[in-house]
Amino acid sequence: MAAAALARLGPGYEGEASVIQRHAALTRFAGSRIHQNLAEEDATLRVRIRHDGRTGVAVTNRLSPAGLEEVVARAALIAAHAAPEADPPPLAEPPGESVDSDLGWIEATAAADPGDRAAGARTVIDAGVARGLTASGAFSTEAQHRTVVNTGGLVASHRVTQARLVTVMHGLAGETGYAQSISTDLATIDAAAVGEEAAERTARAADPTDLAPGEYQVVLGEYAVAEILEYLAFMAFSGLAIEEGRACIELGQPAFGSNVTIWDDGQDPAGVPTAIDFEGVTKQRVDLVSQGVARQTAHDGATAHRAGVPRTGHGLPAPNTFGPLCWNLFMAAGDAPRSSLTQGVERGLLVTRFHYVNIVHPKKGILTGMTRDGTFLIEKGAVTGPVRNLRFTQSIPDAFSRISAIAAETRLVGADYTGIVSRVPAVRIDGWNFTGATANEANV
């Protein structure tokens, strides 16, 4: 289909066509009841055309011959009216090495039905009900096949599956707890473990106390660490952020503590692989931060061309203003047993996850946001009870320069909205700035 679209280009035109075929399904539950089953089947053709230094992009899911004619004509019309680019990047070259086009494809996940998802949802619900809690969440499965061709001879494809179970549980007094699991393989989603984790956390979160804002030692769980890396993907690891001088790291310079190593690898099966990007380029491992020093950054065709370096396989669908994006992040484990991270904390906080996070100052890497779904006080090395949620405003480079312990275990975490998947450890940080506290509703 992609090739058929490009075959309709006129003389002197060059172009790229990508097809994304997607089957996604979701079983949603709320109030401890399954209330919704959704399924979506779609295929989208995106055509990028360049002629006389001008570029046009058009998208359609009308895949008939008439639809192909229309989308190519529309892209050509857009190109004809676009401003010419002085030095446009060339199309991606054919890959020099073969790609495992089935890396991360699990047939059983692709074939999952509502009964499979309902069984997992039921297990989570039962775990909450057993403790008098109300469970909400969703169990989703997805199969995606991506194909990219261009007039320079590139032909690339990859398909992958994903299963994700997420839940938030509520107690009678409003306390909440969260858990999730994500994998390419439906069979490795342990619904009982997800349910027990969320239920146990919710039960411990009842009757929270107030805590004054200030700087505290923190133990960030894997969900919280993954959310920080998600924002670093935009603030630090993008070649466009480096090019525009707004990144919070500088290549070749210390960025974080020497115990921090972060990389992106779309071909590592320990994550959720995406072996090619939306330009058809094979994903390369990018060593973003090695022992605290910023080493490399992710590139798409445009930023690589301007920087005079090879593409790394991090292009997004055209057109976009985000630039390249790391989707498959990894943070190196340390040597501390996870259960030992609270040891040595005289008075601090255990943070399960963040939400409503926003960038305050990208150049300084400052984020603000709230804790959520399980925030606990640590006193003299032990978790002593829940506290009400707090707002933080924190420079991430400063915080990641104060990591005093990193768990030996890592966990795969899927972001809620961006699609970024990170494998990360829990960490202890000797200083995290909380700038506001939520109030007891009874006192409002």
Side-chain angles (χ1 to χ4, degrees):
M1 184 186 312
L6 293 185
R8 288 166 164 79
L9 295 180
Y13 283 80
E14 60 179 5
E16 165 196 283
S18 62
V19 176
I20 296 177
Q21 297 169 285
R22 179 172 177 263
H23 175 77
L26 177 97
T27 296
R28 183 173 285 143
F29 52 101
S32 296
R33 294 182 179 181
I34 295 172
H35 67 98
Q36 194 173 43
N37 276 294
L38 303 172
E40 177 188 13
E41 190 90 34
D42 194 18
T44 301
L45 169 65
R46 183 181 302 268
V47 177
R48 177 163 59 170
I49 288 176
R50 183 174 298 139
H51 180 62
D52 196 24
R54 304 168 192 268
T55 300
V57 179
V59 183
T60 187
N61 59 1
R62 290 179 58 221
L63 305 180
S64 63
L68 301 189
E69 292 283 355
E70 187 277 334
V71 73
V72 170
R74 183 154 41 94
L77 182 62
I78 292 170
H81 289 82
E85 299 174 73
D87 186 21
L91 295 172
E93 296 180 353
E97 56 189 22
S98 61
V99 177
D100 182 354
S101 60
D102 280 344
L103 181 65
W105 178 268
I106 305 295
E107 198 63 43
T109 307
D113 61 27
D116 296 321
R117 292 185 294 275
R122 185 74 259 169
T123 299
V124 170
I125 291 169
D126 288 346
V129 170
R131 294 189 183 226
L133 306 172
T134 302
S136 302
F139 198 173
S140 61
T141 53
E142 178 174 346
Q144 185 179 119
H145 189 176
R146 182 183 306 171
T147 301
V148 183
V149 303
N150 69 32
T151 53
L154 178 143
V155 179
S157 67
H158 178 248
R159 61 177 189 167
V160 66
T161 54
Q162 177 177 299
R164 185 170 185 249
L165 175 59
V166 58
T167 185
V168 176
M169 293 188 184
H170 295 73
L172 292 176
E175 65 273 23
T176 59
Y178 173 88
Q180 67 148 278
S181 180
I182 186 171
S183 174
T184 58
D185 189 352
L186 177 71
T188 65
I189 300 291
D190 188 340
V194 171
E196 180 57 28
E197 178 188 346
E200 188 272 341
R201 183 168 289 129
T202 309
R204 284 198 294 138
D207 300 321
T209 58
D210 293 322
L211 185 69
E215 185 175 278
Y216 293 90
Q217 277 186 292
V218 292
V219 173
L220 301 185
E222 295 89 343
Y223 304 137
V225 175
E227 185 142 20
I228 297 303
L229 260 63
E230 181 185 0
Y231 279 83
L232 287 175
F234 294 95
M235 295 194 302
F237 303 148
S238 161
L240 186 61
I242 294 286
E243 176 186 329
E244 294 178 342
R246 55 181 167 81
C248 63
I249 62 172
E250 186 174 343
L251 294 181
Q253 298 299 314
F256 307 138
S258 60
N259 56 354
V260 176
T261 294
I262 301 170
W263 67 96
D264 186 89
D265 191 349
Q267 297 198 64
D268 190 335
V272 175
T274 47
I276 63 171
D277 70 1
F278 289 91
E279 297 175 330
V281 178
T282 303
K283 293 215 167 196
Q284 305 296 313
R285 171 173 167 141
V286 180
D287 292 307
L288 301 161
V289 177
S290 299
Q291 297 180 317
V293 177
R295 294 297 186 191
Q296 297 178 306
T297 188
H299 284 289
D300 58 14
T303 62
H305 180 63
R306 292 192 291 267
V309 299
R311 302 167 190 246
T312 61
H314 292 82
L316 294 176
N320 77 83
T321 58
F322 291 103
L325 184 64
C326 293
W327 287 70
N328 311 93
L329 288 162
F330 293 80
M331 181 172 175
D335 57 5
R338 192 184 188 287
S339 59
S340 73
L341 292 181
T342 59
Q343 295 176 7
V345 177
E346 183 65 21
R347 183 173 171 82
L349 288 166
L350 169 61
V351 177
T352 298
R353 65 185 296 227
F354 297 121
H355 89 124
Y356 202 48
V357 177
N358 284 284
I359 298 172
V360 175
H361 195 307
K363 185 66 178 174
K364 295 182 179 179
I366 297 176
L367 298 178
T368 189
M370 300 291 296
T371 64
R372 188 182 195 183
D373 300 328
T375 306
F376 302 94
L377 184 64
I378 305 169
E379 296 177 294
K380 300 184 184 306
V383 177
T384 55
V387 297
R388 290 190 175 83
N389 288 315
L390 296 155
R391 169 168 292 280
F392 72 89
T393 303
Q394 176 63 55
S395 161
I396 302 308
D398 287 351
F400 273 32
S401 296
R402 297 195 292 260
I403 293 179
S404 56
I406 302 176
E409 307 91 353
T410 61
R411 179 171 189 160
L412 196 62
V413 181
D416 285 333
Y417 303 112
T418 63
I420 293 173
V421 178
S422 307
R423 179 168 285 283
V424 298
V427 302
R428 182 177 67 219
I429 299 176
D430 292 339
W432 186 273
N433 192 32
F434 292 97
T435 52
T438 54
N440 181 353
E441 292 184 359
N443 297 329
V444 174

